Amino acid sequence: MTSRAPRVWITRAEPGAARTAARLLALGMEPVVRPLLAIQTLSPELPDLDAFAALAFTSVNGVAAFAGLSARRDRPVFAVGDATAQAARDVGFARVDSADGDLAALARRIAAGAAGPVLAAVAETPVGDLAAAVRGCGDGAGRGVAVQAVAVYRARSTGAAPPDLFDAVLVHSPRAGRSLANAGGAVFATAVIAAISPAAAAPLQALGLSPVVAPAPREDALLDVLQAALGKRDPRV
């Protein structure tokens, strides 16, 4: 028997799936790209940006969708994490602040740093209520820091079936976690499940599975826990 590279199922939507695949290849793993979600850009009527002190983005997908809807790049940006912040810079935003965390971290950064109302470009079905999270922080109440959300994209299910053979699966979002849970626990009996956050892991934990969870909601941390978990296994052919 000879050892082989572990096969890792990437469930996230494109174009993110391709970026993750490249990172897995660089780590000596075999990516299996079979997205459970697909991103569809929406066409809402955006409010007048002059009424807002800043913009907020909770994902790279939100940045891309907003950039296709508006040519304005003159508002400061609050981004949930470094990848989203870089995406905002890539489309032309000059003043970008990364919360380097999750929705709660983004809310704290907005409450502490926004000079007035914030327009958040989000998914049609967002992971959480950013406006409520900012209100809960309280810090920005005196400066009129309120968040208005506008849905600029939706993530729809692809209905993709699991690959025939995989050693691990990456769960990049709670929506992907729910889609995976619909496949049933038996599919993952011998696979490592690596989730980017507790919320992404929760639907699978409800099935009695035990995903490894990244200590921070970043892909770097996700791949670190994946490597550690796979290091305890010995895939063979």
Side-chain angles (χ1 to χ4, degrees), residues 24-45:
L24 289 175
L25 282 170
L27 293 172
M29 302 183 196
E30 180 183 340
V32 181
V33 178
R34 191 167 294 188
L36 291 174
L37 303 173
I39 301 303
Q40 178 183 352
T41 300
L42 303 178
S43 300
E45 182 176 349

Side-chain angles (χ1 to χ4, degrees), residues 109-199:
R109 191 64 63 94
I110 291 170
V118 175
L119 180 67
V122 300
E124 185 178 54
T125 306
V127 171
D129 188 336
L130 181 60
V134 171
R135 288 195 300 270
C137 294
D139 301 344
R143 291 176 284 108
V145 178
V147 174
Q148 178 179 334
V150 57
V152 294
Y153 74 96
R154 67 166 58 103
R156 59 175 181 80
S157 175
T158 64
D164 292 335
L165 177 63
F166 60 97
D167 303 295
V169 57
L170 293 176
V171 190
H172 277 81
S173 68
R175 179 75 182 270
R178 292 192 293 271
S179 294
L180 281 171
N182 290 336
V187 173
F188 310 103
T190 61
V192 169
I193 306 170
I196 202 165
S197 67

Side-chain angles (χ1 to χ4, degrees), residues 192-219:
V192 169
I193 306 170
I196 202 165
S197 67
L204 296 155
Q205 291 169 333
L207 295 179
L209 300 171
S210 300
V212 294
V213 181
R218 299 190 302 269
E219 191 170 72

Side-chain angles (χ1 to χ4, degrees), residues 29-151:
M29 302 183 196
E30 180 183 340
V32 181
V33 178
R34 191 167 294 188
L36 291 174
L37 303 173
I39 301 303
Q40 178 183 352
T41 300
L42 303 178
S43 300
E45 182 176 349
L46 296 177
D48 182 1
L49 296 190
D50 289 336
F52 297 91
L55 301 173
F57 295 112
T58 58
S59 71
V60 171
N61 295 319
V63 174
F66 180 89
L69 293 169
S70 173
R72 294 275 299 266
R73 302 291 185 268
D74 59 333
R75 302 289 88 177
V77 165
F78 291 93
V80 69
D82 291 346
T84 302
Q86 186 58 54
R89 295 186 190 101
D90 289 345
V91 299
F93 288 101
R95 293 174 289 169
V96 182
D97 183 3
S98 172
D100 191 27
D102 55 11
L103 191 81
L106 177 60
R108 290 192 296 269
R109 191 64 63 94
I110 291 170
V118 175
L119 180 67
V122 300
E124 185 178 54
T125 306
V127 171
D129 188 336
L130 181 60
V134 171
R135 288 195 300 270
C137 294
D139 301 344
R143 291 176 284 108
V145 178
V147 174
Q148 178 179 334
V150 57

